[in-house]
């Protein structure tokens, strides 16, 4: 006779959160789709047009704007939890959704506010004693002149809301250089940090507070846009890694973030780290994890917002590099992509299905191995083939 097992009645499980609504139809939403299929989560994307990167491939898409109350509420009615491809959904709309009880919002509007408004973020992080560059709230040109006088005549000025990829960031020596921005309200000024390099620390956090941290990475920018990432950041010993991961975990706890949090950091010449900004969603500096970590940041974000157990963050190789594919000469990337894949069978390619515009993020490549310099060289060879096209790349070689 077999043993009769008592049914487990102890702790009731929360109802499963299977239906996920993603506000925004960009490449981050697109890259959530694969892991959602694997986990059998139903993903619905709210995109502004059927041509957007995620809308082109999602199983379920609604067309509507992120700042349209009715569109976001209708999405909420159709799902269990709302999450984001970008942080621009107005707080009042999200609070309205929470008020109806139609869906959970993860991260919640109070957490998200710190990724939406850089003044709010600076104020809160300073109050919590997390390391930031020196900063000033500017209500008008007089405040800026006073701060400039204090800091030797040079500052970084930022629009608090709506900036991305360096739009909304200017190095300023004279208040007149941002007179156009003052019309829009208060501005943030920061000391111009003489950083050695930029780092990024990512953590994922579940609603109950469980967190996991990814290795801290180095991110390199070109014209204000993330261009290369090396994971883990070269030359950070285990205790520095741990210290920076702990900072990111504390920020996630303090701000009650749910989902992925990216803490972008400056590492100064004297070894300090200062928080630059926060993103509460999968982030460009975590794309390496798609091919180079046990659990990608996209799967991890879904697990966190669906309140599933979090996954291992361990890298699958000693070094992983990621290079962004930013719009260049070639209007069709597929010929160059085929050439790049032929040259380097270890190359992992991710194209976002977007039309080409100069400088636009169109995709990325990753490579795993043990030497960052040679992996970057191979990644850039692929980038040239894809972005300039195979013929242009051959012509370049022929000329040299
Ligand atoms: P965005 O929200 O557009 O990404 P960021 O605040 O991240 O804007 O700034 C974009 C880039 O500008 C940063 O990655 C960094 O290279 C540079 N930057 C921003 N703030 C400072 C600062 N206080 N000092 C020096 N460089 C800065």
């Amino acid at each position: 006779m077999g043993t009769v097992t008592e049914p487990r009645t102890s702790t009731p499980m929360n109802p499963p959160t299977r239906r996920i609504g993603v506000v925004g139809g960009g490449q981050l939403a697109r890259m959530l789709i694969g892991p959602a299929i694997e986990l059998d989560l139903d993903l619905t994307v709210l995109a502004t047009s059927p041509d957007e990167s995620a809308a082109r491939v999602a199983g379920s898409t609604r067309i509507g704007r992120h700042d349209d109350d009715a569109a976001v509420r209708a999405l909420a009615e159709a799902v269990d939890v709302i999450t984001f491809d970008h942080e621009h959904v107005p707080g009042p709309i999200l609070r309205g959704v929470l008020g109806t009880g139609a869906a959970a919002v993860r991260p919640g509007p109070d957490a998200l506010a710190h990724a939406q408004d850089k003044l709010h973020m600076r104020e809160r992080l300073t109050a919590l004693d997390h390391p930031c560059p020196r900063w000033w709230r500017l209500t008008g040109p007089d405040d800026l002149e006073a701060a400039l006088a204090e800091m030797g005549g040079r500052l970084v000025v930022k629009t608090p809301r709506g900036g991305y990829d360096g739009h909304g960031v200017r190095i300023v020596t004279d208040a007149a250089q941002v007179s156009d921005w003052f019309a829009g309200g208060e501005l943030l000024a920061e000391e111009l940090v003489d950083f050695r390099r930029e780092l990024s620390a990512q953590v994922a956090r579940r609603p109950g507070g469980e967190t996991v941290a990814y290795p801290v990475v180095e991110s390199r920018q070109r014209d204000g846009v993330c261009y290369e990432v090396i994971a883990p950041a070269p030359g950070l010993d285990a205790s520095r890694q741990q210290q920076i991961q702990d900072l990111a975990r504390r920020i996630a706890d303090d701000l009650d973030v749910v989902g992925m949090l990216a803490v972008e950091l400056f590492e100064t010449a004297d070894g300090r780290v200062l928080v630059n900004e926060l993103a509460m969603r999968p982030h460009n500096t975590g794309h390496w994890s798609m091919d180079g970590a046990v659990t990608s940041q996209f799967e991890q974000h879904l697990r966190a917002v669906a309140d599933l157990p979090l996954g291992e963050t361990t890298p699958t190789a000693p070094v992983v590099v990621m290079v962004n594919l930013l719009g260049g000469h070639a209007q069709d990337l597929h010929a160059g992509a085929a050439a790049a894949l032929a040259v380097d069978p270890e190359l992992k390619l991710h194209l976002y299905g977007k039309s080409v515009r100069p400088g636009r993020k169109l995709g990325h490549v990753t490579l795993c191995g043990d030497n960052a310099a040679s992996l970057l060289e191979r990644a850039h060879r692929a980038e040239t083939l894809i972005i300039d096209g195979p013929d242009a790349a051959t012509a370049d070689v022929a000329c040299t």
Side-chain angles (χ1 to χ4, degrees), residues 73-117:
R73 279 188 190 225
L75 175 70
E77 293 292 339
V79 299
D80 302 312
V81 61
I82 282 193
T83 191
F84 309 97
D85 164 89
H86 58 69
E87 38 258 328
H88 304 311
V89 186
I93 292 184
L94 297 175
R95 290 191 185 89
V97 166
L98 288 177
T100 65
V105 176
R106 294 175 178 160
D110 292 343
L112 198 61
H114 302 92
Q116 293 177 321
D117 186 319

Side-chain angles (χ1 to χ4, degrees), residues 87 115 118 121-122 133-134 155-160 162-171 188-195 198 219-226 264-266 274-278 281 283 361:
E87 38 258 328
K118 291 178 182 176
M121 177 269 293
R122 283 279 172 251
R134 281 196 67 188
L155 285 172
V156 177
V157 177
K158 302 183 179 182
T159 53
Y164 67 98
D165 290 346
H167 303 286
V169 177
R170 285 182 194 161
I171 295 177
L188 167 66
E190 294 175 355
E191 69 173 291
L192 179 62
V193 178
D194 182 17
F195 57 80
E198 294 185 65
S219 79
R220 299 173 179 172
Q221 329 290 316
R222 198 176 66 179
D223 303 328
V225 181
C226 173
E264 293 186 73
L265 299 151
F266 299 125
L274 303 171
V275 176
N276 176 25
E277 67 168 344
L278 307 177
R281 49 173 169 75
H283 190 253
K361 288 179 183 172

Side-chain angles (χ1 to χ4, degrees), residues 11-291:
T11 35
M13 296 284 285
N14 291 328
T17 307
R18 282 203 54 253
R19 299 174 304 162
I20 317 279
V22 184
V23 183
Q27 64 264 21
L28 301 178
R30 179 181 174 112
M31 289 184 274
L32 286 168
I33 294 170
I37 292 169
E38 300 299 334
L39 295 169
D40 193 27
L41 301 172
D42 292 338
L43 203 94
T44 301
V45 171
L46 180 66
T48 52
S49 114
D51 295 331
E52 277 190 277
S53 178
R56 294 183 54 174
V57 292
S60 168
T61 304
R62 288 165 169 264
I63 302 302
R65 286 186 55 85
H66 64 274
D67 54 2
D68 176 349
D69 189 56
V72 177
R73 279 188 190 225
L75 175 70
E77 293 292 339
V79 299
D80 302 312
V81 61
I82 282 193
T83 191
F84 309 97
D85 164 89
H86 58 69
E87 38 258 328
H88 304 311
V89 186
I93 292 184
L94 297 175
R95 290 191 185 89
V97 166
L98 288 177
T100 65
V105 176
R106 294 175 178 160
D110 292 343
L112 198 61
H114 302 92
Q116 293 177 321
D117 186 319
K118 291 178 182 176
L119 274 167
H120 184 55
M121 177 269 293
R122 283 279 172 251
E123 209 155 54
R124 188 76 191 284
L125 293 186
T126 304
L128 291 164
D129 220 17
H130 294 310
C132 292
R134 281 196 67 188
W135 65 275
W136 294 259
R137 178 186 289 274
L138 307 176
T139 55
D142 291 351
D143 291 347
L144 179 51
E145 292 297 358
L148 281 168
E150 202 180 325
M151 292 302 289
R154 223 151 57 117
L155 285 172
V156 177
V157 177
K158 302 183 179 182
T159 53
R161 304 181 77 90
Y164 67 98
D165 290 346
H167 303 286
V169 177
R170 285 182 194 161
I171 295 177
V172 165
T173 52
D174 186 310
Q177 290 164 332
V178 286
S179 51
D180 52 332
W181 282 354
F182 275 118
E186 291 183 330
L187 300 176
L188 167 66
E190 294 175 355
E191 69 173 291
L192 179 62
V193 178
D194 182 17
F195 57 80
R196 198 164 81 78
R197 60 179 174 172
E198 294 185 65
L199 302 174
S200 175
Q202 286 189 295
V203 296
R205 186 168 178 275
R206 271 176 91 176
E210 180 195 342
T211 58
V212 290
Y214 282 85
V216 178
V217 302
E218 176 174 340
S219 79
R220 299 173 179 172
Q221 329 290 316
R222 198 176 66 179
D223 303 328
V225 181
C226 173
Y227 180 49
E228 291 174 349
V229 169
I230 305 172
L236 273 191
D237 64 31
S239 78
R240 289 283 289 159
Q241 274 277 353
Q242 182 74 48
Q243 209 181 351
I244 299 170
Q245 286 176 334
D246 288 347
L247 170 64
R249 280 185 205 266
R250 280 201 305 278
I251 293 174
D253 282 338
D254 288 341
L255 305 187
D256 195 18
V257 178
V258 174
M260 287 296 304
L261 167 71
V263 181
E264 293 186 73
L265 299 151
F266 299 125
E267 185 183 37
T268 62
D270 58 0
R272 289 173 306 139
V273 291
L274 303 171
V275 176
N276 176 25
E277 67 168 344
L278 307 177
M280 295 180 191
R281 49 173 169 75
H283 190 253
N284 202 162
T285 57
H287 289 356
W288 66 273
S289 65
M290 295 174 85
D291 304 304

Side-chain angles (χ1 to χ4, degrees), residues 297-323:
Q297 62 162 347
F298 295 98
E299 177 178 344
Q300 199 77 275
H301 187 72
L302 291 173
R303 290 194 192 203
V305 302
D307 202 10
L308 292 168
L310 300 178
E312 259 293 334
T313 55
T314 319
T316 54
V319 182
V320 188
V321 303
M322 190 267 347
V323 167

